[in-house]
Amino acid sequence: MTMKVLNGIIIDYEMGNVASVAKTFEKIGASVVVSRKQDEISRADFLVLPGVGAFGDGMENLKRFGLADILAQRVLEEKVPFLGICLGMQLLTDVGYEFGETRGLGFIKGKTVKLDAGSLRLPHVGWDNVEPVNGNSRLFDGIEDKNFYFVHSYCVRPDDIAIISATCDYGERFAAGIQRDNIFAAQFHPEKSQHSGWKFLENFLKQITEYA
C-alpha cells in the first residue's frame, strides 16, 4: 500500500534553521515548502514550526507576520498535524520566562522555564541520550540509537505529564518530546541528528496519515 503524499509547510518566521529542516524533509521524500503565506498554510496537510532563539522574539515574530491566529485555527480547530522543533516546541506553552514573561501560543497547558542544569554548562549543546516514555512514543519506533542533538537553555514543563513522549537528563530530567492528538514536538533537532533524526521525521509522516 502506497502512503499518501502529504504537502507540508515549514513555517518561516525568521527564527533560524528553516532551510535545514526543509532539506531534511526533502531528503526523506516529503513534499514541503518554506512559507509564511496564510493561503499556503491554510492548504497544508501538515505544519512544522522549527526555531532557534529566544521565546519572546519567537512570539513577536509569529504575531508580526500574522501567524499565531492561523496556526491556532489550523492546529487546534482543524486538527492539522503539527510538529514543533526546539523553540517551536517551547512556543506551544502558555507562557515562557526567557528574558521576562511572555505569553505563548497556549496549544498545551504548561510553561517554558530555564533548564535546571546544576553545575553543568548552559546552553545544553551537543548529543545526548533520549528516553522514550512507554505508551506515548510512537515517533521513536525503530530508532536504535536514541542520541539526538540539542541546543537549548530552556525546557517545557507541561501541566499534564501524560503528554511527555520522551525525556532527557541534563542536570534535571526534562521533556525532550511531547505528543497529544495531532500535536507533536521535540526539544532536540531532528534535522541535525543524522539517521536517528531522519527516522524520527519519517515516523512523524507515517503517524500523521491518520489525520490527513
Side-chain angles (χ1 to χ4, degrees), residues 35-127:
S35 177
R36 66 172 70 110
K37 295 179 180 178
Q38 295 202 14
D39 61 331
E40 293 182 334
I41 294 171
S42 68
R43 297 193 302 268
D45 293 317
F46 67 92
L47 301 168
V48 181
L49 184 68
V52 175
F55 191 103
D57 293 340
M59 283 306 304
E60 180 181 351
N61 285 8
L62 286 177
K63 292 176 180 177
R64 176 161 61 95
F65 294 126
L67 295 169
D69 289 341
I70 186 69
L71 287 177
Q73 176 186 329
R74 297 242 61 205
V75 176
L76 299 182
E77 297 178 21
E78 300 176 21
K79 302 297 182 183
V80 172
F82 174 95
L83 176 64
I85 296 173
C86 196
L87 177 61
M89 171 173 165
Q90 297 173 4
L91 295 175
L92 298 179
T93 59
D94 294 313
V95 60
Y97 292 96
E98 187 171 6
F99 305 118
E101 182 176 327
T102 305
R103 299 302 301 177
L105 290 169
F107 291 4
I108 63 167
K109 296 296 181 183
K111 55 190 177 182
T112 295
V113 299
K114 193 170 185 178
L115 185 63
D116 185 6
S119 61
L120 299 175
R121 181 180 299 178
L122 286 178
H124 174 207
V125 178
W127 296 85

Side-chain angles (χ1 to χ4, degrees), residues 27-212:
K27 187 175 294 185
I28 63 173
S31 174
V32 295
V33 174
V34 176
S35 177
R36 66 172 70 110
K37 295 179 180 178
Q38 295 202 14
D39 61 331
E40 293 182 334
I41 294 171
S42 68
R43 297 193 302 268
D45 293 317
F46 67 92
L47 301 168
V48 181
L49 184 68
V52 175
F55 191 103
D57 293 340
M59 283 306 304
E60 180 181 351
N61 285 8
L62 286 177
K63 292 176 180 177
R64 176 161 61 95
F65 294 126
L67 295 169
D69 289 341
I70 186 69
L71 287 177
Q73 176 186 329
R74 297 242 61 205
V75 176
L76 299 182
E77 297 178 21
E78 300 176 21
K79 302 297 182 183
V80 172
F82 174 95
L83 176 64
I85 296 173
C86 196
L87 177 61
M89 171 173 165
Q90 297 173 4
L91 295 175
L92 298 179
T93 59
D94 294 313
V95 60
Y97 292 96
E98 187 171 6
F99 305 118
E101 182 176 327
T102 305
R103 299 302 301 177
L105 290 169
F107 291 4
I108 63 167
K109 296 296 181 183
K111 55 190 177 182
T112 295
V113 299
K114 193 170 185 178
L115 185 63
D116 185 6
S119 61
L120 299 175
R121 181 180 299 178
L122 286 178
H124 174 207
V125 178
W127 296 85
D128 218 329
N129 190 60
V130 168
E131 183 177 340
V133 176
N134 289 334
N136 199 23
S137 56
R138 292 173 295 174
L139 297 198
F140 297 91
D141 288 352
I143 301 177
E144 295 183 5
D145 183 0
K146 295 181 177 61
N147 273 292
F148 292 87
Y149 192 83
F150 289 85
V151 183
H152 67 119
S153 296
Y154 284 74
C155 64
V156 169
R157 290 186 183 163
D159 290 353
D160 181 8
I161 63 172
I163 72 170
I164 296 175
S165 60
T167 62
C168 181
D169 196 339
Y170 189 80
E172 67 168 313
R173 185 158 291 277
F174 63 90
I178 57 175
Q179 181 175 320
R180 192 198 69 195
D181 300 326
N182 59 309
I183 297 174
F184 304 81
Q187 182 59 67
F188 53 86
H189 287 272
E191 78 282 5
K192 296 180 182 294
S193 299
Q194 299 180 7
H195 294 287
S196 295
W198 303 341
K199 180 63 175 176
F200 179 88
L201 296 180
E202 287 176 352
N203 285 343
F204 170 70
L205 294 177
K206 290 178 182 177
Q207 289 296 323
I208 67 177
T209 54
E210 64 187 86
Y211 295 101

